[in-house]
Amino acid sequence: MNHRTYFAAALLLVTAASPLARGQAGQPAAALTAEDLLKVTTASVLDISDDGRSVAYTARRAFDNPTTDHRRYGDPTYITPSAVRLFVVDTATGVSKAVLPDLADIRQAAWSHGGTQLALLHVQPGSATTDPAVRLRVWEAGRGAVRDVALKGDARIAVTSSLHWSPDDTRIVVALRSRQRDEEASARFKMLAAGPVIVHSSKEPFLEWDDLNRSSRWRTIAEVDLATGQPRTILPERKVSSYAVSRDGTFITFQEDVTAKTDYEVIGGTDNALRMVQTAGGEPVTIAEAKDLKGVTLRWSDDGRTFAYAKKGEVFVQRIDERQPRSLTPQPKKDSEQAGTAPAKDAPADAPRDAKPKDEPESFSVGPLARDGKRLLITSKKGWYVVDAASGTRDQVLALKDGDDANPRMEALEWSPDGQAIYLTWSERDRWERGLVRLDVAAKALTPLVKDARLYAGFRQARDGRLFVFTLSDGDCPGDLQAATSDFASVKRLTDLNPWIASKAVPRSELVSYRDADGKVLYGVLRYPVNYDKGKRYPTVFEIYETFFDNGFNGRAAFLANHGYAVFHPSVNLVVGRPGESWAKGVTAAANRLIDLGVADPDRLGVHGTSYGGYATVLLLTQTDRFKAAINVSGKVNMVSFYTDSPRLGVRNTHAPEKSQDRIGGTLWEYPERYLEHSAVLRADRITTPLLCITGDQDPNVPASQSREIYYALRRLGKDVEWVRYVDGAHRPPNSVAESVDFEQRILAWYDKYLKAEKKPGA
């Protein structure tokens, strides 16, 4: 039955056809099981031929994938297994062909210029005594056959290699690793992981695990002759962070890791010098020093000869034959820098901390360059501009309203091949209206190509510009690959990855808006219980993390909805220095909203989260007793012990609270009270909600010891708590098909126990 359900409340936004479950016409829908979640297939596009006729993609199911040896996390020689099926689809006919007959571990694929050959990086499984090996293979479209390219010499193809065809399609540029480097890295990993004696010293420039992780960057760039398998060295072994071959194949630009010591300002922080080497050979030439590129992301022209970047709100551009970058948005000098001008006085003591001078210069970000590198898009809060790379002449092509919330979410993707337009994704901020838009540069006009309530992702343009490939979903079911002409006059579905799901009960979703305790309008995604009956209240589970807006297939939510639960993903307004109170202000307000709408039963509310969401869940329990069941999956509970507990992650766990996700805003010694306030274990006595903790013993991100702390604290306090450990699991605790089923069923059982159990008389 297809119909629209409207609620009287003004802040409920209806964007889906029906809250009822889908199923085969005239037949009752079957329940979606925990096993079904593992059989959901997702596609990843590896490459599109230049003419857009052929698309290489992989199809992956969790059900097919082997276990991972998480004990080898951080070992540069370990290749995490990934089993996929590799297909090539003809975008004109929609017919897919399997490139390989069975599941395989495919890391890269690249079409030749003529689109007749597809190069593959195929990881071959290892044995009990040998590690996996990376093989270079070529699929010939005409014959439909795969041939191996037997690499000569002692070096091996690096699993981090990319694939670049030579202009005549007879050779491929790859990255190689020496056996000696791998042996050294393996030995060092074993020493750091098992000893017998391990010494750490602050005198060393790098944290030991940081230095080991960087060892994977020792690579040689070589060109392999496909006929003979003979490699020719282009760039002798260096610490290469990334590299790219120019469009004409005559040179390679690469970023060389020249970091002198562990950087505590950036997770995995690396100082990279930008260099160039001719593919014919010769000594590399430095284009830009590391000090000039620190903390920036480079945007390149299609030919690989021009790049641009933004630094402190200023946009720079440089050609590879130039010695210095040129500023396209020079900032005006401050008063203190003006000749004969006295330094500006300090702001008044009572001025707001976030007060800014009225004449603060416009701050810019850099967007894509036109293919010829002569123009680029830059953006600011005021608008979008096209800038001439030679003269710096700036032309505003799109004006923005004051305030981010006043404008739709827009992200520039790339220029059209003719340089006449820029393609961008579009999403309204108060409703599900999403799609792709064309910005005509000369006319300064926006033309929607496709825009509706469905969910679009992964737009990729064929090189000749005549075709787009993307993923499309109705927002409730898993998506499929689609191909569309550049004007979207013709759209063709390329895959049917999950035909079986048509007979399953998949819940409908809606976008709901509400106000938090501070009056700020927030949005969340509601998944209705299967066979929802309007007017009936349901046990409702809140899955929390940070901000939610878009829908899309969510396996756990669908599983819970099949068992009579409403599932809501609320957003919160996180504030640096005070993130903890945001959960109480936002999640409880969301609960009130669903209660007011008649969906949620106020006496049967549950809450859970994973990683940062698990941390938020336990912190929330110290501030409210409204939830009758809670689940923490791989979340921290003690900000002090967590702060330095990430040996294999480098500086990740110090950076998170100081500068990024945890939003503490400084070091432990600057704000000790904030770290204590956000450590739920210190307020465990306030928790009344039954709590289930689920962890993986091999988790390098949030150590399982975090859940151990809250488990023993709550047990000591006589609280209702359970701790489930997956001994071989990591940050995503289950590590096998059987464990994954067990994982989902345990979550369901916990909620059934506390949210569905009949109350005893007099209770």
Side-chain angles (χ1 to χ4, degrees):
M1 175 179 178
N2 290 322
H3 65 277
R4 288 189 176 273
T5 302
Y6 291 93
F7 291 97
L11 288 178
L12 179 63
L13 304 174
V14 180
T15 59
S18 166
L20 302 181
R22 71 178 68 235
Q24 297 268 356
Q27 298 179 8
L32 195 69
T33 67
E35 291 86 350
D36 287 334
L37 304 187
L38 302 176
K39 297 176 182 177
V40 172
T41 303
T42 57
S44 298
V45 174
L46 297 183
D47 199 21
I48 305 172
S49 61
D50 286 354
D51 62 2
R53 182 66 186 263
S54 301
V55 176
Y57 71 93
T58 58
R60 187 181 191 278
R61 303 191 309 171
F63 186 85
D64 298 323
N65 273 266
T67 59
T68 298
D69 186 356
H70 293 294
R71 289 171 176 80
R72 290 186 65 180
Y73 182 90
D75 182 349
T77 66
Y78 180 63
I79 300 176
T80 303
S82 178
V84 299
R85 296 190 184 276
L86 178 63
F87 296 95
V88 167
V89 60
D90 186 315
T91 58
T93 65
V95 175
S96 287
K97 295 180 180 179
V99 174
L100 299 170
D102 302 310
L103 289 164
D105 192 339
I106 304 297
R107 297 304 169 106
Q108 297 281 343
W111 286 106
S112 61
H113 295 87
T116 60
Q117 301 179 88
L118 182 69
L120 312 173
L121 283 188
H122 185 174
V123 178
Q124 298 292 304
S127 65
T129 58
T130 62
D131 283 333
V134 182
R135 293 167 59 190
L136 175 61
R137 312 185 77 186
V138 176
W139 181 72
E140 297 178 359
R143 297 193 304 119
V146 177
R147 61 185 175 90
D148 290 326
V149 179
L151 188 69
K152 293 184 178 179
D154 194 50
R156 295 177 284 190
I157 297 176
V159 71
T160 56
S161 176
S162 54
L163 296 170
H164 302 271
W165 287 83
S166 64
D168 62 0
D169 290 342
T170 63
R171 304 174 306 280
I172 290 181
V173 175
V174 295
L176 303 178
R177 283 275 291 180
S178 72
R179 294 181 184 274
Q180 180 181 350
R181 287 290 184 190
D182 280 345
E183 290 170 359
E184 291 173 352
S186 179
R188 191 172 181 196
F189 170 82
K190 291 175 181 177
M191 183 273 291
L192 287 175
V197 178
I198 305 170
V199 178
H200 298 276
S201 172
S202 65
K203 297 295 184 181
E204 296 296 328
F206 288 97
L207 286 168
E208 290 75 7
W209 284 97
D210 185 7
D211 198 26
L212 177 61
N213 290 336
R214 292 175 188 277
S215 69
S216 63
R217 296 175 184 172
W218 284 108
R219 298 184 285 177
T220 297
I221 309 301
E223 187 177 58
V224 178
D225 187 299
L226 296 180
T228 66
Q230 184 66 48
R232 179 183 64 83
T233 298
I234 297 172
L235 180 71
E237 187 184 51
R238 291 193 179 213
K239 231 175 187 178
V240 178
S241 297
S242 63
Y243 67 98
V245 180
S246 64
R247 175 61 61 179
D248 63 9
T250 60
F251 64 89
I252 297 174
T253 52
F254 64 96
Q255 295 195 56
E256 183 175 1
D257 183 352
V258 294
T259 313
K261 60 181 180 179
T262 293
D263 185 352
Y264 286 89
E265 299 301 310
V266 181
I267 299 174
T270 302
D271 293 333
N272 287 310
L274 180 62
R275 311 194 200 281
M276 177 185 67
V277 63
Q278 299 294 325
T279 51
E283 288 297 315
V285 176
T286 299
I287 301 171
E289 298 290 354
K291 61 181 177 61
D292 297 320
L293 301 181
K294 188 174 181 62
V296 306
T297 300
L298 304 183
R299 302 292 295 260
W300 286 89
S301 61
D302 180 71
D303 60 8
R305 296 181 180 274
T306 305
F307 62 94
Y309 59 90
K311 194 170 188 177
K312 296 181 179 179
E314 189 173 359
V315 174
F316 297 87
V317 66
Q318 185 177 348
R319 296 194 309 271
I320 61 173
D321 58 356
E322 293 179 313
R323 298 183 62 85
Q324 296 292 334
R326 292 173 284 111
S327 175
L328 297 179
T329 59
Q331 303 290 305
K333 292 183 178 180
K334 298 178 181 178
D335 290 344
S336 58
E337 298 173 341
Q338 300 282 356
T341 303
K345 294 182 179 179
D346 294 336
D350 59 349
R353 289 186 177 183
D354 58 353
K356 298 180 179 179
K358 293 182 179 179
D359 59 349
E360 180 176 316
E362 200 167 355
S363 179
F364 295 96
S365 299
V366 66
L369 284 88
R371 288 196 173 182
D372 59 9
K374 294 181 178 179
R375 292 176 298 166
L376 72 153
L377 175 72
I378 65 172
T379 64
S380 75
K381 291 185 176 181
K382 294 182 179 180
W384 290 21
Y385 306 83
V386 169
V387 184
D388 184 277
S391 66
T393 302
R394 188 189 316 166
D395 184 24
Q396 187 172 29
V397 294
L398 179 64
L400 298 179
K401 300 175 183 177
D402 290 338
D404 290 340
D405 291 344
N407 301 285
R409 296 180 180 88
M410 298 178 292
E411 180 183 356
L413 298 179
E414 57 186 317
W415 290 67
S416 60
D418 60 10
Q420 300 301 308
I422 298 169
Y423 294 103
L424 58 130
T425 59
W426 179 286
S427 176
E428 294 292 347
R429 290 186 179 271
D430 60 353
R431 62 189 182 277
W432 285 336
E433 186 174 329
R434 304 165 284 205
L436 187 70
V437 173
R438 174 186 168 101
L439 171 61
D440 188 290
V441 173
K444 303 178 182 179
L446 291 170
T447 302
L449 298 176
V450 61
K451 199 191 294 185
D452 52 43
R454 294 177 295 177
L455 187 61
Y456 297 83
F459 283 105
R460 291 182 61 168
Q461 183 183 29
R463 177 162 172 73
D464 66 6
R466 292 183 292 182
L467 192 79
F468 282 99
V469 175
F470 55 96
T471 300
L472 175 62
S473 163
D474 65 356
D476 295 325
C477 288
D480 274 291
L481 293 181
Q482 314 273 332
T485 52
S486 60
D487 58 0
F488 270 73
S490 174
V491 180
K492 184 186 297 294
R493 181 173 176 172
L494 301 179
T495 62
D496 186 13
L497 299 169
N498 299 282
W500 56 272
I501 210 165
S503 64
K504 296 290 184 175
V506 178
R508 298 290 185 176
S509 57
E510 287 185 359
L511 182 66
V512 177
S513 67
Y514 56 97
R515 295 184 184 274
D516 68 8
D518 294 326
K520 182 176 177 61
V521 176
L522 300 173
Y523 295 89
V525 179
L526 171 63
R527 268 91 176 186
Y528 281 94
V530 166
N531 298 323
Y532 170 71
D533 183 6
K534 184 181 178 181
K536 178 181 177 181
R537 293 189 180 273
Y538 290 83
T540 301
V541 171
F542 295 81
E543 183 169 14
I544 62 178
Y545 195 75
E546 289 194 21
T547 300
F548 294 91
F549 185 87
D550 289 321
N551 52 353
F553 180 76
N554 183 298
R556 183 168 304 130
F559 180 54
L560 291 171
N562 267 268
H563 288 82
Y565 292 92
V567 181
F568 191 66
H569 293 86
S571 297
V572 293
N573 181 36
L574 294 165
V575 178
V576 174
R578 304 192 308 275
E581 66 185 48
S582 301
W583 306 106
K585 291 179 177 179
V587 180
T588 55
N592 292 340
R593 186 67 183 141
L594 293 191
I595 293 169
D596 291 344
L597 293 172
V599 175
D601 183 336
D603 295 322
R604 295 187 293 168
L605 303 179
V607 61
H608 70 267
T610 300
S611 189
Y612 189 61
Y615 155 73
T617 294
V618 186
L619 204 58
L620 177 63
L621 301 185
T622 67
Q623 303 173 79
T624 178
D625 60 0
R626 295 189 62 184
F627 299 95
K628 307 308 178 186
I631 303 171
N632 168 23
V633 181
S634 303
K636 55 186 171 287
V637 300
N638 187 334
M639 290 302 299
V640 178
S641 61
F642 174 78
Y643 186 61
T644 54
D645 195 3
S646 61
R648 299 193 191 187
L649 295 174
V651 304
R652 191 268 178 207
N653 286 11
T654 53
H655 188 278
E658 290 176 9
K659 301 178 183 298
S660 51
Q661 188 176 47
D662 293 338
R663 296 175 176 85
I664 299 298
T667 69
L668 173 63
W669 305 278
E670 291 175 298
Y671 300 108
E673 71 287 349
R674 294 183 184 178
Y675 283 78
L676 299 179
E677 289 170 3
H678 292 86
S679 296
V681 70
L682 298 182
R683 291 172 168 77
D685 58 322
R686 303 180 183 181
I687 296 176
T688 60
T689 305
L691 176 65
L692 170 64
C693 291
I694 307 178
T695 60
D697 278 7
Q698 310 308 317
D699 189 343
N701 195 337
V702 179
S705 58
Q706 287 288 310
S707 283
R708 181 187 67 204
E709 289 188 34
I710 195 68
Y711 169 73
Y712 280 111
L714 291 175
R715 183 182 175 111
R716 172 66 182 84
L717 292 165
K719 309 286 185 173
D720 193 344
V721 61
E722 187 172 306
W723 179 25
V724 176
R725 296 166 50 196
Y726 291 93
V727 176
D728 296 320
H731 200 51
R732 181 188 179 278
N735 192 34
S736 68
V737 169
E739 288 177 4
S740 294
V741 172
D742 177 82
F743 176 64
E744 300 297 343
Q745 290 178 339
R746 283 184 185 278
I747 290 174
L748 174 64
W750 188 258
Y751 283 136
D752 282 351
K753 179 179 180 180
Y754 292 100
L755 303 186
K756 285 189 174 181
E758 294 294 330
K759 293 183 178 180
K760 296 180 180 180

